[in-house]
Amino acid sequence: IPVLIAKLVSRDTRAVEIGKVLTTLSDGVTRRLIRIAEMQYGPAPCAYAWLAFGSQARQEMALGSDQDNALLLADDVLKVDGEYFRKFAEFVNDGLNFCGMPYCPGDIMAKNDKWRQPLQEWIACFANWIEEPSPKAVMHSSIFFDMRHIAGDESLTAQLHEQVLHRAKKNTIFQALMSDNALLHSPPLGFFKTFVLETDGDHAHMLDLKKRGTIPIVDIARNYALSAGLYQVNTMDRLHAMVDARVMSESMSRSLEDAHEFIAGIRLQAQSRQVSAGIDVDNFLDPQELSPLVRHQLKDAFTIVREAQTAMKARFGGGVL
């Protein structure tokens, strides 16, 4: 897969399309592992849905993306069925890790008992995050509110998603806290439009193109989409839908779309070079590797994101840039 992505990058394939290629491959591997698990352990004792969160849910995976997933079980699941789904989830999570989707560092995986629950328990969990938000709940929200059905009973996923959108749309306090949390991921630009580089560890004097590049745009799109009750999950789809729903201007939406594509493209190019050099893939880049023109364009992209964050702050309240 890394070699395939490097070839796509060399052919100037758009970052959004490369993300969908990677996600399609990951979805296929996940569904195949689920089928093998059912052959090994027998048919599931009740209806279930395998959910993906984060970048896989948004169809925006990059090289090195880890897995974020969960099991949504029907409410008629019996206590005795717990052992089946524990083995089932472990098999799929271990298989994904073996196939190149590493375990989630935060343990947001179906084999964690906490993320393997009946529908009503999941609804209660989201309700608690939305109606009594804590800093940890808001952090979880930035992952779990990007949700997509992968396998199993799709009606279970639809019921959960509908409940989540309904509750999030009407809770303005939650929206303000989500906005406040999103503002923590600021673009790496100083007052005089100079790059603000990382200062710690192995990545000192480098740009984090994920945390301070694409993630701020993802956060903006998510917050606006939740406030409007939009069902789209992919960032580009959300930006388009927000224009139709009249919650964001067309000019700002198109600018964010271009900024996301540009930053994600720079990130993929850097990862492609890492693959070719035989070194571990990450999300960091030394801006000196870029030409002066590209550095200038990258600063313009970050400026657009900063302007959009300012608009988000004004719309939802909370936070200090």
Side-chain angles (χ1 to χ4, degrees), residues 137-139 141-142 145 173-183 219 222-223 226 312:
V138 173
M139 179 195 71
S141 299
S142 67
F145 281 69
I173 295 175
F174 171 74
Q175 293 167 20
L177 289 172
M178 284 286 286
S179 172
D180 191 37
N181 184 68
L183 294 173
D219 288 342
R222 179 191 305 111
N223 291 352
L226 288 174
M312 179 178 66

Side-chain angles (χ1 to χ4, degrees), residues 306-321:
R306 188 161 63 185
E307 290 172 353
Q309 285 188 327
T310 301
M312 179 178 66
K313 176 191 172 186
R315 181 180 180 90
F316 297 108
V320 178
L321 280 174

